[in-house]
mmCIF file of all heavy atoms in Angstrom:
data_model
loop_
_atom_site.group_PDB
_atom_site.id
_atom_site.type_symbol
_atom_site.label_atom_id
_atom_site.label_comp_id
_atom_site.label_asym_id
_atom_site.label_seq_id
_atom_site.Cartn_x
_atom_site.Cartn_y
_atom_site.Cartn_z
ATOM 1 N N PRO A 95 118.820 84.873 96.617
ATOM 2 C CA PRO A 95 120.206 84.393 96.546
ATOM 3 C C PRO A 95 120.516 83.439 97.686
ATOM 4 O O PRO A 95 120.079 83.624 98.814
ATOM 5 C CB PRO A 95 121.034 85.676 96.662
ATOM 6 C CG PRO A 95 120.122 86.752 96.180
ATOM 7 C CD PRO A 95 118.748 86.326 96.621
ATOM 8 N N GLY A 96 121.276 82.382 97.374
ATOM 9 C CA GLY A 96 121.690 81.414 98.376
ATOM 10 C C GLY A 96 120.699 80.315 98.651
ATOM 11 O O GLY A 96 120.957 79.420 99.448
ATOM 12 N N SER A 97 119.523 80.348 98.012
ATOM 13 C CA SER A 97 118.533 79.305 98.257
ATOM 14 C C SER A 97 118.330 78.448 97.012
ATOM 15 O O SER A 97 118.663 78.843 95.908
ATOM 16 C CB SER A 97 117.212 79.923 98.700
ATOM 17 O OG SER A 97 116.677 80.715 97.672
ATOM 18 N N THR A 98 117.773 77.268 97.216
ATOM 19 C CA THR A 98 117.495 76.361 96.115
ATOM 20 C C THR A 98 116.320 76.904 95.323
ATOM 21 O O THR A 98 115.334 77.361 95.894
ATOM 22 C CB THR A 98 117.165 74.962 96.660
ATOM 23 O OG1 THR A 98 118.248 74.533 97.477
ATOM 24 C CG2 THR A 98 116.957 73.973 95.539
ATOM 25 N N GLN A 99 116.408 76.851 93.999
ATOM 26 C CA GLN A 99 115.376 77.421 93.147
ATOM 27 C C GLN A 99 114.754 76.379 92.246
ATOM 28 O O GLN A 99 115.379 75.389 91.897
ATOM 29 C CB GLN A 99 115.987 78.528 92.258
ATOM 30 C CG GLN A 99 116.728 79.585 93.014
ATOM 31 C CD GLN A 99 115.897 80.256 94.078
ATOM 32 O OE1 GLN A 99 114.687 80.394 93.937
ATOM 33 N NE2 GLN A 99 116.510 80.657 95.157
ATOM 34 N N MET A 100 113.532 76.643 91.845
ATOM 35 C CA MET A 100 112.854 75.813 90.863
ATOM 36 C C MET A 100 113.127 76.392 89.483
ATOM 37 O O MET A 100 113.168 77.590 89.311
ATOM 38 C CB MET A 100 111.347 75.793 91.125
ATOM 39 C CG MET A 100 110.985 75.183 92.453
ATOM 40 S SD MET A 100 111.527 73.484 92.623
ATOM 41 C CE MET A 100 110.478 72.681 91.444
ATOM 42 N N SER A 101 113.288 75.531 88.522
ATOM 43 C CA SER A 101 113.541 75.960 87.155
ATOM 44 C C SER A 101 113.186 74.812 86.232
ATOM 45 O O SER A 101 112.808 73.729 86.681
ATOM 46 C CB SER A 101 115.016 76.340 87.001
ATOM 47 O OG SER A 101 115.267 76.781 85.686
ATOM 48 N N ALA A 102 113.328 75.048 84.949
ATOM 49 C CA ALA A 102 113.119 73.970 83.988
ATOM 50 C C ALA A 102 114.258 72.968 84.147
ATOM 51 O O ALA A 102 115.417 73.344 84.192
ATOM 52 C CB ALA A 102 113.094 74.532 82.575
ATOM 53 N N LEU A 103 113.893 71.709 84.265
ATOM 54 C CA LEU A 103 114.887 70.679 84.520
ATOM 55 C C LEU A 103 114.722 69.522 83.547
ATOM 56 O O LEU A 103 113.632 69.262 83.062
ATOM 57 C CB LEU A 103 114.727 70.115 85.935
ATOM 58 C CG LEU A 103 114.829 71.077 87.097
ATOM 59 C CD1 LEU A 103 114.383 70.384 88.375
ATOM 60 C CD2 LEU A 103 116.227 71.589 87.239
ATOM 61 N N CYS A 104 115.795 68.838 83.318
ATOM 62 C CA CYS A 104 115.745 67.545 82.655
ATOM 63 C C CYS A 104 116.230 66.557 83.706
ATOM 64 O O CYS A 104 117.296 66.736 84.281
ATOM 65 C CB CYS A 104 116.654 67.532 81.439
ATOM 66 S SG CYS A 104 116.693 65.923 80.623
ATOM 67 N N HIS A 105 115.428 65.538 83.999
ATOM 68 C CA HIS A 105 115.783 64.634 85.091
ATOM 69 C C HIS A 105 115.363 63.203 84.783
ATOM 70 O O HIS A 105 114.616 62.946 83.850
ATOM 71 C CB HIS A 105 115.137 65.105 86.392
ATOM 72 C CG HIS A 105 113.644 65.236 86.288
ATOM 73 N ND1 HIS A 105 113.039 66.444 86.068
ATOM 74 C CD2 HIS A 105 112.651 64.327 86.328
ATOM 75 C CE1 HIS A 105 111.733 66.265 85.994
ATOM 76 N NE2 HIS A 105 111.478 64.990 86.148
ATOM 77 N N ILE A 106 115.875 62.308 85.599
ATOM 78 C CA ILE A 106 115.453 60.909 85.556
ATOM 79 C C ILE A 106 114.917 60.528 86.933
ATOM 80 O O ILE A 106 115.325 61.086 87.948
ATOM 81 C CB ILE A 106 116.600 59.958 85.133
ATOM 82 C CG1 ILE A 106 117.810 60.097 86.060
ATOM 83 C CG2 ILE A 106 116.996 60.196 83.694
ATOM 84 C CD1 ILE A 106 118.923 59.112 85.761
#
Side-chain angles (χ1 to χ4, degrees):
S97 64
T98 304
Q99 306 304 329
M100 297 300 292
S101 181
L103 302 169
C104 177
H105 56 261
I106 57 175

